[in-house]
């Protein structure tokens, strides 16, 4: 698993500093109502500095200037947090843009020749040929050939990957380079709509939309701000009644301290950083909503082949049944696989060839090829002489043979069960109404799977393996890998049914997959993670793409999602708890002159009313940059139940949020007292 390690270097920080100033534009600021109120406060302070008795006030000029400066710094800090969070994505977008080049493509013309055209002229459906050393001109699907491709521009992974026609490894991405051999590619996107284009827009945050969660929280924060605005607006009347004159700068300082500026200033940074953390893990999330949904996932649906197992299901043995010879099995398996472009099909051809079985190539040319489909679970050939060869899942082939009036050899079940209980996939081979034998497709469970699933259990997530394979193989692999449940012989529509069933129980479902047959289910799931190695259909249906094609990474995605939700919750708790402490700093200071009893509330024993107000305001500002690292990195997350996490966070950030400002404001007060 590769992890992009992009640190927040000098250029990103410098750019963020510049952006912090640009973001002061009120048209930008109004999108964040809490900070917009601070900006209005700043504007009023500027007016007061220019016209000191605008409100008939009597606060000293230095105090007005100090409040104005602190408010400006507060705004800049909040802007800096957001700009810094955006910075890494922008830097990544820049490096992706560099890999976008207008290359030459060799498009097939009607007459059968190749025509040189700029890649920007290619349209969906065009066929191109790409040879070793050439750039792939756009997104597409390999329709012929096999090549090793350097995808490092997109995945950051330097090891070349194999792309081949048929099967789940047929999609290619524009901006990657063919290293050896050649491929014929059908373009699947028009210029400007490629995966690279979408990826650039995403990491750049160009189309960033607030998630439903963020909108809900913003609404709460805005309401709180309005409430405090009303409270502060009534204070002058109260002050008048008590005979305490309340200065405008003091009221503004109080308002800014009371409204949730800490979370208001960090909210968008938290969201952006969460998406960015996913990107660091080489997963491209199409929306922040998908990342958040990942944090609330209850059930994960995984397919077996290529997800839990290595997926290079290789033919390792031909097993005869019903008295046929092993050679006969190999011969018919070969005949039924000569044009099977799937990895399984090719491995059958390879095994037969290794056994020295030549086969009859004219068979393949003369017959009608029956392509493998997940729905039929069979492939094979209808020969010109009327005979038919089929290979496929034992159940499917049995049904096919029975339909032709054949009978099932007595030793078939025992032999196929032996393969299945070893975790292998048995494929039955039939010639017309006779089953001649079995192909033993071997596959191995990836190491560390048990631990990964145990981790998910601790997070309270149920794992279900959905496989097209037979029940016995499924059971063996399920037990070996340690998933909670499994569903065998599932067709694409069954996968959707499982997801819908879980969703109907109010659960959020994640699904990983790579095949075209997974696409509908990937679209139905709340979080669909497609493997980058997978088909175009899978990648288009999903709302996340894992560039490393490592399905177990869903654990990291879930952790990041949970961390994002927790960070937002923790900092909201901290922010609101904080404001309570500021209340105790400012209110006594405001009324102390008129009501000496107020001194009892002055628990912090702050030096003077003015230093108390300034200290609270300074604390209110500096807490924002102090929390930027936490907002960006996220709060610590350990796999445990949500209830325990919630309790722990309430304690740490709620109680901490009340206590920290007392200490902080007191310290600042000591410093301010010394200066004033
Ligand atoms: N090339 C092939 N020719 C004939 N039958 C095949 C071929 N490939 C697979 N099968 C059979 O079809 C079944 C379904 O295969 P498929 O690859 O669709 O599984 P799946 O639904 O993707 O689930 P998983 O990936 O977990 O196996 C396999 O279990 C196997 O019995
Ligand atoms: K505040
Ligand atoms: Mg599959």
């Amino acid at each position: 698993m590769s992890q992009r390690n992009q640190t927040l270097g000098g250029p990103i920080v410098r750019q963020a500093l510049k952006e912090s100033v640009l973001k002061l534009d009120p048209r930008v600021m109004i999108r964040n109502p809490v900070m917009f109120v601070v900006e209005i406060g700043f504007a009023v302070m500027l007016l007061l500095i220019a016209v000191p008795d605008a409100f008939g006030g009597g606060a000293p000029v230095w105090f007005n200037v100090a409040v104005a400066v602190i408010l400006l710094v507060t705004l800049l800090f909040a802007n800096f947090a957001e700009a810094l969070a955006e910075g890494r994505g922008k830097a990544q977008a820049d490096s992706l843009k560099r890999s976008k080049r207008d290359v030459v493509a060799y498009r097939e013309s009607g007459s059968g020749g190749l025509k040189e055209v700029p890649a920007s002229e290619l349209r969906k459906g065009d066929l191109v040929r790409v040879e070793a050393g050439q750039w792939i001109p756009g997104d597409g699907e390999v329709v012929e050939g096999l090549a090793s491709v350097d995808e490092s521009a997109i995945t950051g992974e330097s090891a070349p990957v194999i792309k081949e026609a048929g099967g789940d490894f047929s999609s290619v991405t524009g901006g990657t380079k063919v290293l050896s051999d050649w491929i014929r590619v059908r373009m699947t996107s028009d210029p400007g709509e490629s995966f690279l284009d979408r990826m650039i827009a995403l990491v750049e945050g160009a189309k960033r939309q607030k998630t439903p969660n963020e909108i809900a929280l913003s609404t709460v924060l805005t309401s709180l701000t309005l409430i405090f605005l009303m409270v502060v607006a009534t204070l002058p009347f109260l002050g008048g009644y008590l005979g305490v004159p309340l200065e405008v700068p003091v009221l503004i300082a109080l308002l800014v301290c009371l409204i949730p500026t800490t979370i208001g200033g960090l909210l968008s940074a938290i969201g952006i950083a969460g998406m960015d953390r996913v990107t660091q893990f080489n997963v491209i999330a199409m929306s922040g909503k998908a990342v958040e949904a990942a944090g609330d996932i209850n059930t994960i649906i995984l397919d077996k082949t290529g997800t839990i197992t290595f997926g290079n299901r290789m033919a390792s043995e031909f097993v005869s049944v019903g008295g046929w010879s092993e050679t006969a099995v190999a011969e018919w398996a070969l005949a039924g696989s000569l044009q099977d472009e799937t990895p399984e099909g090719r491995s059958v051809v390879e095994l037969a060839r290794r056994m020295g079985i030549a086969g009859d190539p004219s068979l393949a040319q003369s017959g009608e090829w029956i392509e493998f489909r997940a729905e039929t679970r069979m492939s094979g050939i209808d020969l010109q002489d009327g005979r038919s060869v089929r290979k496929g899942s034992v159940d499917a082939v049995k049904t096919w043979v029975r339909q032709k009036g054949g009978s099932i050899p007595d030793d078939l079940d025992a032999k196929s069960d032996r393969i299945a209980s070893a975790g292998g996939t048995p494929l039955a081979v039939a010639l017309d109404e006779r089953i001649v034998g079995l192909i033993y497709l071997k596959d191995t469970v990836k190491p560390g799977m048990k631990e990964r699933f145990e981790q998910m259990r601790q997070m309270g997530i149920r794992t279900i393996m959905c496989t097209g394979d037979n029940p016995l193989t499924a059971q063996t692999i399920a037990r070996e890998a340690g998933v909670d449940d499994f569903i065998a012989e599932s067709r694409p529509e069954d996968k959707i049914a499982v997801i819908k069933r879980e969703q109907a129980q109010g659960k959020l479902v994640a699904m990983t997959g790579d095949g075209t047959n997974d696409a509908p289910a990937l679209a139905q799931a709340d979080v669909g993670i497609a493997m980058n190695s997978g088909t175009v259909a899978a990648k288009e249906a999903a709302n996340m793409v894992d560039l490393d094609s490592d399905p177990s990474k869903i654990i990291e995605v879930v952790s990041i999602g949970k961390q994002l939700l927790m960070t937002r919750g923790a900092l909201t708790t901290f922010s609101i708890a904080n404001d309570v402490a500021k209340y105790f700093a400012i209110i006594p200071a405001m009324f102390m002159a008129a009501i000496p009893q107020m001194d009892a509330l002055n628990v912090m024993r702050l030096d003077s009313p003015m230093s108390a107000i300034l200290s609270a305001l300074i604390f209110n500002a500096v807490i924002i940059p102090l929390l930027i690292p936490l907002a960006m990195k996220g709060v610590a997350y350990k796999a445990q139940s949500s209830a325990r996490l919630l309790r722990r966070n309430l304690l740490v950030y709620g109680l901490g949020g009340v206590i920290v400002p007392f200490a902080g404001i007191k310290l600042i007060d000591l410093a301010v007292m010394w200066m004033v």
Side-chain angles (χ1 to χ4, degrees), residues 388-454:
S388 300
V389 181
R390 288 291 184 278
K391 66 172 201 293
S393 89
V394 176
D395 227 42
V397 173
K398 271 183 177 171
T399 312
W400 184 79
V401 162
R402 281 205 193 95
Q403 269 166 9
K404 293 201 150 242
S407 59
I408 310 301
D410 298 334
D411 55 346
L412 179 73
D413 284 346
K415 283 178 173 168
S416 74
D417 283 359
R418 204 177 313 144
I419 296 172
S421 43
T425 300
L427 290 191
V429 183
L431 173 62
D432 290 329
E433 75 289 352
R434 290 152 296 183
I435 295 184
V436 298
L438 294 158
I439 305 169
Y440 183 169
L441 295 177
K442 235 187 197 149
D443 203 357
T444 28
V445 172
K446 292 179 185 167
M449 276 297 156
K450 233 186 172 116
E451 292 74 35
R452 304 289 274 168
F453 289 129
E454 180 51 41

Side-chain angles (χ1 to χ4, degrees), residues 15-68:
Q15 181 62 26
L17 284 171
K18 204 176 101 192
E19 298 256 327
S20 327
V21 178
L22 296 178
K23 282 174 189 277
L24 286 174
D25 184 337
R27 286 166 301 180
V28 180
M29 201 57 97
I30 198 156
R31 277 185 271 163
N32 184 341
V34 180
M35 298 316 286
F36 188 63
V37 168
V38 179
E39 188 163 52
I40 292 174
F42 171 64
V44 173
M45 291 314 298
L46 285 186
L47 176 71
L48 269 178
I49 292 170
V51 191
D53 51 6
F55 304 104
V61 176
W62 71 265
F63 183 77
N64 288 351
V65 172
V67 171

Side-chain angles (χ1 to χ4, degrees), residues 112-166:
L114 292 175
K115 191 170 170 252
E116 209 181 290
V117 295
S120 53
E121 266 182 30
L122 293 176
R123 291 289 177 277
K124 226 184 248 182
D126 282 355
L127 285 164
V128 298
R129 191 184 159 100
V130 195
E131 292 183 7
Q134 293 175 349
W135 295 93
I136 297 175
D139 296 357
E141 200 134 32
V142 180
V143 289
E144 196 184 338
L146 178 152
S148 67
V149 176
D150 174 7
E151 293 201 314
S152 58
I154 299 224
T155 63
E157 175 62 57
S158 56
V161 288
I162 300 292
K163 296 291 178 178
E164 54 190 354

